[in-house]
């Protein structure tokens, strides 16, 4: 399976909804320091089950967009990931609310991180 789309909103430096499409070929992510390159990788890790402490954050609320020049903080962080290949498609999403509640979805159904782990086993 390969990554087809990554969608972020409210995750770290991504205050606005951002969607990255990955077609055939090889991709590189480049940009100046502080532009969010590492945050993209951390978003990928988080949506598949990493904890905030594993992502340069002491607590889960560190994952939320805290605002910037003229942009208000958001009350949630959400990352979606779409994978495809070999006739199989999987969509994952993870959402964290400012009150600390969270939700994980697998193929648009409420799920657990363990179920996501099982769905991704053997996918490479």
């Amino acid at each position: 399976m390969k990554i087809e789309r990554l969608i972020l909103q409210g995750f770290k430096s991504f205050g606005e909804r951002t969607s990255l499409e990955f077609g055939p070929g090889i991709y590189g992510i480049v940009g100046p320091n502080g532009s969010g390159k590492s945050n993209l990788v951390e978003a990928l890790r988080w949506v598949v089950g990493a904890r905030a402490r594993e992502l340069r954050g002491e607590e889960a609320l560190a994952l939320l967009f805290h605002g910037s020049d003229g942009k208000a903080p958001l009350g949630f962080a959400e990352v979606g990931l779409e994978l495809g290949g070999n006739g199989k498609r999987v969509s994952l999403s993870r959402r964290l609310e400012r009150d600390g509640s969270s939700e994980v979805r697998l193929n648009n159904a409420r799920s657990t991180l363990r179920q996501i782990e099982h769905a991704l086993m053997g996918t490479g």
Side-chain angles (χ1 to χ4, degrees), residues 23 29 33 35 37 40 46 59 62 71 74 80 90 102 104:
I29 299 172
N33 290 344
S35 63
K37 301 178 301 291
L40 289 173
W46 184 66
E59 58 182 31
K71 293 182 184 174
L74 290 182
V90 175
S102 64
V104 178

Side-chain angles (χ1 to χ4, degrees), residues 12 46 51-64 66 96 98:
K12 290 195 166 197
W46 184 66
R51 296 180 307 191
R53 279 185 230 127
E54 300 168 359
L55 306 174
R56 300 182 301 158
E58 289 298 314
E59 58 182 31
L61 294 181
L63 302 177
L64 274 65
H66 293 292
L96 172 67
R98 192 166 292 280

Side-chain angles (χ1 to χ4, degrees), residues 13-121:
S13 59
F14 292 89
E16 295 181 18
R17 184 176 171 86
T18 303
S19 179
L20 301 170
E21 307 280 333
F22 297 93
I26 298 172
Y27 287 82
I29 299 172
V30 298
N33 290 344
S35 63
K37 301 178 301 291
S38 296
N39 291 346
L40 289 173
V41 174
E42 290 186 345
L44 282 169
R45 291 183 60 208
W46 184 66
V47 75
V48 297
R51 296 180 307 191
R53 279 185 230 127
E54 300 168 359
L55 306 174
R56 300 182 301 158
E58 289 298 314
E59 58 182 31
L61 294 181
L63 302 177
L64 274 65
F65 178 73
H66 293 292
S68 65
D69 299 331
K71 293 182 184 174
L74 290 182
F76 68 93
E78 185 168 25
V79 176
L81 179 63
E82 296 177 11
L83 305 163
N86 299 327
K88 185 177 178 183
R89 297 191 50 77
V90 175
S91 68
L92 316 169
S93 68
R94 191 169 177 185
R95 182 179 176 106
L96 172 67
E97 300 288 339
R98 192 166 292 280
D99 67 6
S101 63
S102 64
E103 179 180 71
V104 178
R105 299 184 77 74
L106 173 61
N107 295 328
N108 295 318
R110 194 170 176 102
S111 185
T112 65
L113 291 174
R114 183 166 309 279
Q115 290 170 314
I116 286 178
E117 182 180 301
H118 285 280
L120 296 177
M121 279 185 181

